[in-house]
Amino acid sequence: MNSNKDIFTPAVASMQASAIREIFKLIAKDDIISFAAGIPAPELFPAKQWAKITNDVLTNTPAPALVYGVTEGYVPLRELTKERAKKLGVYNEEVDELIMTSGAQQAIDLSAKVLLEVGDGVIIEKPSFIGSLNAFRSYGAKLYDVDIEDDGLNLSQVEEHLKNHKNIKFIYTIPTFQNPSGTTMSVNKRKALLELAKKYDVFILEDNPYGELRFKGEAVATIKSMDTEGRVIYAGTYSKTLAPGLRVGFVSARKDIVDRVVVVKQVNDVHTPVLNQMMVYEYIKNYDYDAHIQKCANEYGEKCALMISEMEKHFPEECTFTRPDGGIFILCTMPEGVDTKEVLGDAIENKVAFVPGNTFMADIDAPSNIFRLNFSVTTKESITKGIKILGDVLKKYV
């Protein structure tokens, strides 16, 4: 029997499972207070409306919901999504096309698939979202990381990579309420990043799953809305506002790029489940979707403020943390030399969990002194209790 090294492609053989999923296995107990999640609060899912919608759809129009659909997506939802995308400035019908995908994760993966060859480069944020990093790794891409500052990517490092590495195909960024940092890139940096992409003739893959969940401050224009050359590929989703399990997202980009994405999607999953798309469409058509988003954002704002208040009380002063204006994450930084994977083991013994920083890095084997907290899923009571426990754990390491 051949070894795994001989069986699998080098890119896939070297990949590791999502550490976040592995953590979930460790903390699948009722007595663990988990700040490790990356999902919206389940109690905010419009479950009663879903029940009515699915009953109506399966009673009155079961065939369209249960047979094959077109790869580009359920037409009414696709058109509705285009209209919403126009308002955000992320869809220009003259140069762009937009199709529905199975979550933003698929939008990212298929975009990478049509652009990357083995050895091509991708500039990524440090830290960044593991799902996207693994997508790029699976196509044999080389990852070039760039530090995140309070107002977004370090642009000097971006340009240094672009100067020195001619293999770079695109820059991947989550500019609004970034995962895992929670930070937002400034308007000036967005404009400057787009200018760098033009100067060195590369694409930008803009991932925006959390952008609508703003609970403080003024909205910032998307990078895609500033693009006049079809240089930005935009990945959006309904997962973080309606329900992640529905797996309904979209990609908006230059027509020739989306044309290729359609082809590779046909050999990936044929189409995103039609029933799920119909559910999303019927909800937006019949209920106040924007009010629902605001309700979610308000709840997350209260939880975020509570978590920060408790962290200020209980965390050691050597542990710094971000203060997001939206989204669902806070990033914490311990002093240099602290390995948060070790801290996690101690925290789990004390019935609290988080995601250690190595998970979000290009080199996932190197120790990291950062960790991510989620505030959307946990109850306010558990936030108060869990942050105090975690603070006691952290104090051992400083």
Side-chain angles (χ1 to χ4, degrees):
M1 177 66 71
N2 292 332
S3 68
N4 286 351
K5 185 177 180 182
D6 297 327
I7 295 172
F8 304 120
T9 66
V12 171
S14 63
M15 287 173 61
Q16 297 186 29
S18 167
I20 298 173
R21 300 297 168 197
E22 297 304 307
I23 290 169
F24 284 168
K25 296 175 185 177
L26 290 174
I27 62 176
K29 300 175 182 177
D30 292 336
D31 61 345
I32 294 279
I33 296 174
S34 176
F35 300 128
I39 61 173
E43 67 269 19
L44 294 176
F45 298 167
K48 291 182 180 178
Q49 291 91 329
W50 291 139
K52 182 180 186 307
I53 288 168
T54 52
N55 181 68
D56 289 346
V57 168
L58 294 176
T59 299
N60 301 317
T61 55
L66 299 175
V67 300
Y68 286 120
V70 295
T71 302
E72 289 83 351
Y74 177 60
V75 172
L77 177 61
R78 187 177 172 212
E79 293 305 313
L80 184 151
T81 302
K82 286 180 179 179
E83 290 304 311
R84 292 186 64 86
K86 283 180 188 176
K87 293 177 182 177
L88 288 173
V90 299
Y91 172 69
N92 180 344
E93 59 189 354
E94 293 183 6
V95 297
D96 292 331
E97 190 52 271
L98 181 151
I99 65 164
M100 309 310 300
T101 58
S102 296
Q105 176 68 49
Q106 188 186 52
I108 292 161
D109 178 69
L110 296 183
S111 297
K113 189 172 186 176
V114 302
L115 292 177
L116 294 175
E117 294 183 286
V118 173
D120 282 342
V122 179
I123 291 178
I124 61 167
E125 295 164 328
K126 179 185 180 182
S128 190
F129 171 50
I130 188 174
S132 298
L133 301 189
N134 272 347
F136 308 148
R137 290 180 180 117
S138 72
Y139 300 112
K142 294 182 180 296
L143 304 182
Y144 301 102
D145 56 15
V146 170
D147 291 331
I148 292 180
E149 300 168 323
D150 290 342
D151 61 346
L153 281 168
N154 181 314
L155 296 183
S156 296
Q157 293 178 13
V158 172
E159 184 157 25
E160 195 67 20
H161 282 315
L162 291 169
K163 282 181 181 176
N164 295 332
H165 304 288
K166 304 305 180 186
N167 61 330
I168 291 171
K169 275 288 184 70
F170 61 83
I171 301 162
Y172 171 68
T173 180
I174 311 170
T176 307
F177 315 137
Q178 200 256 2
N179 180 6
S181 71
T183 57
T184 295
M185 190 185 299
S186 67
V187 171
N188 288 341
K189 277 200 171 179
R190 293 176 192 228
K191 291 177 180 177
L193 185 67
L194 185 56
E195 289 304 312
L196 285 175
K198 292 177 182 177
K199 179 178 178 180
Y200 292 93
D201 194 22
V202 297
F203 291 101
I204 294 174
L205 178 51
E206 180 178 12
D207 187 9
N208 191 25
Y210 314 102
E212 293 181 292
L213 295 174
R214 176 176 288 278
F215 46 74
K216 189 168 60 173
E218 297 296 322
V220 182
T222 61
I223 303 172
K224 176 69 172 167
S225 69
M226 305 171 184
D227 180 26
T228 58
E229 298 182 350
R231 194 170 291 281
V232 180
I233 302 164
Y234 182 92
T237 186
Y238 291 104
S239 290
K240 301 304 185 292
T241 54
L242 288 177
L246 290 177
R247 310 309 303 131
V248 179
F250 64 93
V251 60
S252 175
R254 211 170 67 192
K255 291 179 180 179
D256 60 332
I257 294 174
V258 174
D259 176 65
R260 294 298 89 194
V261 171
V262 170
V263 173
V264 295
K265 181 173 169 61
Q266 288 170 348
V267 298
N268 186 287
D269 66 353
V270 183
H271 62 82
T272 300
V274 180
L275 174 59
N276 299 15
Q277 294 182 74
M278 292 177 76
M279 289 170 65
V280 172
Y281 171 73
E282 293 296 331
Y283 179 85
I284 297 174
K285 186 179 76 170
N286 294 299
Y287 299 95
D288 193 337
Y289 179 44
D290 291 320
H292 170 75
I293 293 173
Q294 192 58 55
K295 178 183 177 182
C296 295
N298 292 343
E299 177 70 12
Y300 299 155
E302 291 178 10
K303 287 185 173 182
C304 180
L306 174 63
M307 181 172 278
I308 287 174
S309 174
E310 294 301 309
M311 291 162 74
E312 289 173 338
K313 292 178 189 175
H314 301 295
F315 276 20
E317 63 181 20
E318 296 88 346
C319 179
T320 60
F321 45 86
T322 57
R323 298 168 185 269
D325 291 338
I328 59 176
F329 300 120
I330 294 172
L331 189 72
C332 303
T333 303
M334 292 289 281
E336 290 293 336
V338 176
D339 185 353
T340 54
K341 277 180 71 175
E342 293 182 9
V343 181
L344 174 63
D346 195 351
I348 289 176
E349 287 184 6
N350 286 274
K351 310 300 184 184
V352 178
F354 57 79
V355 183
N358 67 297
T359 299
F360 307 104
M361 300 299 186
D363 181 359
I364 61 175
D365 296 319
S368 172
N369 65 326
I370 66 172
F371 62 94
R372 189 190 76 180
L373 299 177
N374 164 265
F375 51 79
S376 61
V377 177
T378 315
T379 65
K380 293 176 181 177
E381 294 75 16
S382 291
I383 288 174
T384 300
K385 179 180 178 182
I387 291 299
K388 184 179 186 309
I389 294 171
L390 183 55
D392 291 338
V393 170
L394 296 178
K395 287 171 185 174
K396 300 177 187 177
Y397 294 84
V398 299

